[in-house]
Amino acid sequence: MTRKNYYILTNGLLKRKENTLYFINKDGKRPLPIHAIYSIYTYGALSISSQVVNLLSKEGIPIHFFNRYGFYTGSFYPRETLLSGDLLIKQVEHFIDNEKRLKLASDFVKGAISNMKRVLSYYNLDNNMDALLENLNSCDKITEIMNVEGRARADYYRLLDKILPKDFRIGQRTRRPPKNMTNALISFGNSLLYSTIISEIYNTQLNPTISYLHEPFERRYSLALDISELFKPIIIDRLILYLIKKNMIDKTDFEKDLNYSLLNENGKRKFIAEYDKRLKKTIKHRKIGRKVSYKRLIRLECYKLIKHVLGKEQYKPFISWW
Amino acid sequence: MISEAEKKLLVRGTQINYYFVCKTKLWLFSHHIQMEQESDAVELGKLIHDDTYKREEKGLILDDLISADFMRKGKVLEVHEVKKSNKMEEAHLFQLLYYLYYLKNEKGIEKIRGFIDYPKLRKRKEIRLTHDIEKRLEKILQDIDSIIKGDVPQPQRKKICRNCAYLEFCWS
């Protein structure tokens, strides 16, 4: 049975009665079958008891918390059951050894830029992403790799502005808080993706705090930041462009009082529904020989990292092939 | 290369089983990179385990190594393994043979009989430990030891990969 993501947008109470969870709000009481939950994402004011936490822990279900603005505030990362001392040692080794770390950091950026290029080509936008990929080869410091990534992203947003309607132009990338509609969408989407990746890492033996491109002290789960670079263009940016281009989202989905720089309830609902649809979308994976969902692609990326650090197979970052 | 902690090899029944099924799986499993938790096949196996032979005494684990599905005590000790299909005969066979070997040599239990039960096929098969098999088991144990201490074996694509919990790991 495939487990689903549950997204809770309204205020309410999460209760446990024996081995079932119930979400109770002003509209009523809804059971959440425990074996059908993969992760929970919560945006409203949620009351929760330790009995609930115990059950979630037992079943290995993470909860991701966002404040009412949609900013990520933290996760309940259940007690880990998939642990491999050997793998941890290897993960650390690939951080401490500078050359090994550079290789992985550069691979993440290579994947990120290649996927940005995919998005740009989809909209027939001429770009210089190849030159930036070239630049990566001569980097011998993490900061240099980061710089290339920053330059690529700035160019990328500038190019995307060419195909965006006037109201939706990105201009400067702003966060905390984002200053306009598309910036708001990017921030909202990236936090969502970050949490999704945390859930995927949780279901592997990887330690989420050891990262290669980002410094391990940047966030609690910095490995999720590394992996998110690969998937942001393909999952989040494409989703945003789709929503805007198809006129599925407009000014009325944003908080007018806050200068349209935050999604309102309705906007969040739309975004999340489309996001979840996208995670479930499948593509045929040639090597595996079966269909895999976008969400599963993230898991496969974790597996590839495990194989790389174990010395089994050189890591090749995910680059969208469609 | 493996860590100090793994050097003292603890061979479990599952490892004997995986030795016959796939060396890559054996290596990963032994290094705690396990994938069974999301496998429908493993889930089904557990259900069969819980749902059949309810009158028997189940869940005995010996020395953290031996976990036969159930045992019957009496003048002769009966060791039973419950399997859902007879597809991977050899793997099942040697898993049970290893239990018999262990009970005989490590625990000094002489009067012992082994059975593989296929409740879904309504079949039961008795397994006997011979001197030749004991020799072969010793060789297998050594093999397992050196596989685990070596690098991860490259996976070979086989028909059984389709139903393996490690499929996506190996071919991603």
Side-chain angles (χ1 to χ4, degrees):
Chain A
M1 181 170 60
T2 40
R3 290 167 178 256
K4 287 190 296 191
N5 284 336
Y6 281 82
Y7 305 89
I8 301 176
L9 281 114
T10 54
N11 298 343
L13 170 72
L14 202 56
K15 244 188 109 169
R16 171 183 180 179
K17 203 176 170 214
E18 276 148 24
N19 280 337
T20 307
L21 288 188
Y22 293 93
F23 176 64
I24 303 161
N25 67 2
K26 57 182 183 353
D27 303 323
K29 187 173 173 183
R30 190 161 65 106
L32 311 181
I34 192 78
H35 292 294
I37 314 174
Y38 187 74
S39 290
I40 299 173
Y41 298 73
T42 170
Y43 288 85
L46 183 75
S47 299
I48 196 169
S49 64
S50 60
Q51 290 100 306
V52 170
V53 173
N54 290 339
L55 184 62
L56 292 171
S57 176
K58 184 171 153 256
E59 298 290 332
I61 300 166
I63 301 196
H64 307 296
F65 295 94
F66 301 84
N67 66 14
R68 60 187 212 88
Y69 301 112
F71 297 136
Y72 173 77
T73 47
S75 298
F76 167 63
Y77 199 78
R79 187 175 64 90
E80 287 178 88
T81 52
L82 302 173
L83 292 167
S84 164
D86 287 330
L87 181 65
L88 177 62
I89 290 166
K90 294 286 185 191
Q91 251 187 288
V92 173
E93 182 195 323
H94 280 258
F95 177 83
I96 295 173
D97 183 319
N98 198 42
E99 212 165 291
K100 288 181 175 155
R101 181 180 173 191
L102 282 172
K103 145 91 183 135
L104 281 174
S106 156
D107 276 345
F108 286 127
V109 173
K110 184 178 157 200
I113 298 178
S114 306
N115 286 326
M116 287 187 233
K117 189 182 149 193
R118 276 273 188 282
V119 175
L120 294 171
S121 322
Y122 180 84
Y123 290 99
N124 294 317
L125 291 162
D126 284 335
N127 59 75
N128 63 340
M129 294 293 146
D130 285 327
L132 288 159
L133 283 171
E134 197 69 36
N135 284 347
L136 269 185
N137 297 331
S138 54
C139 293
D140 50 18
K141 282 197 192 76
I142 297 291
T143 47
E144 288 171 18
I145 295 175
M146 276 287 197
N147 282 340
V148 176
E149 197 265 342
R151 260 159 41 216
R153 208 163 280 274
D155 278 357
Y156 170 73
Y157 288 137
R158 191 175 47 74
L159 288 165
L160 288 180
D161 268 351
K162 288 190 182 178
I163 54 150
L164 284 170
K166 195 163 158 279
D167 284 349
F168 276 100
R169 294 214 180 117
I170 303 162
Q172 200 72 31
R173 173 81 180 105
T174 48
R175 45 200 118 191
R176 280 182 240 175
K179 290 213 169 76
N180 58 33
M181 291 194 286
T182 307
N183 268 298
L185 292 171
I186 296 172
S187 292
F188 187 82
N190 287 350
S191 317
L192 202 49
L193 178 66
Y194 173 69
S195 322
T196 300
I197 296 173
I198 291 172
S199 286
E200 289 310 315
I201 297 176
Y202 174 74
N203 281 289
T204 71
Q205 288 79 8
L206 284 171
N207 181 302
T209 65
I210 300 163
S211 56
Y212 305 96
L213 176 62
H214 297 82
E215 294 298 337
F217 52 75
E218 266 178 69
R219 294 266 188 99
R220 181 77 183 87
Y221 307 113
S222 44
L223 183 60
L225 289 178
D226 281 6
I227 296 175
S228 77
E229 297 297 342
L230 303 170
F231 291 98
K232 275 189 217 164
I234 296 300
I235 298 182
I236 300 303
D237 300 343
R238 276 203 143 165
L239 170 61
I240 293 171
L241 292 163
Y242 168 81
L243 289 172
I244 297 173
K245 290 289 218 182
K246 298 260 185 237
N247 294 321
M248 291 167 76
I249 215 155
D250 60 35
K251 268 194 158 165
T252 61
D253 294 307
F254 294 83
E255 300 272 359
K256 194 177 164 209
D257 298 346
L258 294 164
N259 205 16
Y260 303 106
S261 62
L262 281 173
L263 280 164
N264 61 23
E265 174 89 23
N266 203 31
K268 277 186 237 167
R269 210 169 276 283
K270 272 189 206 170
F271 192 102
I272 287 173
E274 287 301 321
Y275 174 76
D276 198 59
K277 242 197 226 167
R278 209 153 269 243
L279 285 186
K280 286 184 191 142
K281 217 165 117 181
T282 59
I283 43 130
K284 173 97 178 175
H285 194 290
R286 271 181 235 133
K287 253 170 91 192
I288 294 175
R290 61 171 74 148
K291 283 181 177 172
V292 293
S293 65
Y294 276 47
K295 185 169 116 210
R296 203 66 184 173
L297 279 174
I298 301 172
R299 177 76 68 86
L300 298 185
E301 218 50 26
C302 299
Y303 290 162
K304 280 154 66 183
L305 272 176
I306 295 176
K307 288 193 278 188
H308 177 82
V309 298
L310 290 178
K312 183 173 172 295
E313 203 176 308
Q314 277 259 330
Y315 177 68
K316 284 200 203 80
F318 158 76
I319 296 168
S320 157
W321 59 86
W322 60 94
Chain B
M1 243 292 289
I2 69 160
S3 59
E4 280 307 306
E6 296 279 350
K7 274 190 185 155
K8 189 165 167 274
L9 180 73
L10 300 175
V11 178
R12 291 189 262 174
T14 311
Q15 289 172 305
I16 301 273
N17 186 316
Y18 286 180
Y19 173 81
F20 286 96
V21 177
C22 171
K23 308 285 188 279
T24 309
K25 191 170 177 168
L26 168 67
W27 193 98
L28 291 167
F29 178 86
S30 308
H31 288 260
H32 302 288
I33 297 166
Q34 298 167 0
M35 307 274 152
E36 288 82 356
Q37 70 280 356
E38 283 183 342
S39 154
D40 289 341
V42 174
E43 191 71 21
L44 181 63
K46 270 190 205 141
L47 281 175
I48 291 176
H49 175 90
D50 292 343
D51 260 23
T52 52
Y53 305 107
K54 286 188 176 164
R55 278 164 302 187
E56 306 294 344
E57 196 177 342
K58 288 192 272 193
L60 285 169
I61 297 174
L62 218 65
D63 299 347
D64 262 351
L65 301 176
I66 308 291
S67 151
D69 285 316
F70 65 89
M71 298 196 204
R72 274 187 199 152
K73 290 172 219 158
K75 277 185 189 148
V76 177
L77 180 70
E78 281 186 18
V79 184
H80 289 257
E81 260 305 276
V82 181
K83 294 291 175 191
K84 62 176 182 290
S85 86
N86 55 0
K87 232 193 287 173
M88 271 174 273
E89 262 326 335
E90 211 183 21
H92 297 165
L93 195 68
F94 274 88
Q95 187 176 350
L96 182 59
L97 282 166
Y98 173 67
Y99 293 160
L100 300 179
Y101 172 88
Y102 190 87
L103 290 167
K104 182 183 165 207
N105 294 300
E106 297 291 322
K107 300 288 162 195
I109 302 171
E110 287 291 340
K111 287 185 178 160
I112 190 167
R113 291 172 76 188
F115 297 93
I116 301 183
D117 301 300
Y118 301 101
K120 275 175 53 178
L121 308 171
R122 311 239 169 260
K123 271 204 229 165
R124 164 169 296 174
K125 206 170 147 183
E126 176 157 9
I127 305 299
R128 278 174 218 286
L129 189 67
T130 64
H131 179 72
D132 284 354
I133 288 173
E134 287 194 46
K135 284 273 160 283
R136 192 157 162 216
L137 269 169
E138 276 155 23
K139 166 86 176 49
I140 291 170
L141 292 175
Q142 275 174 14
D143 259 15
I144 291 179
D145 189 40
S146 61
I147 289 168
I148 295 174
K149 284 182 179 155
D151 291 336
V152 207
Q154 278 305 322
Q156 312 283 319
R157 188 85 189 213
K158 295 179 207 155
K159 228 176 139 188
I160 50 163
C161 288
R162 270 188 312 163
N163 300 318
C164 179
Y166 294 66
L167 168 88
E168 288 179 331
F169 181 86
C170 285
W171 307 106
S172 58

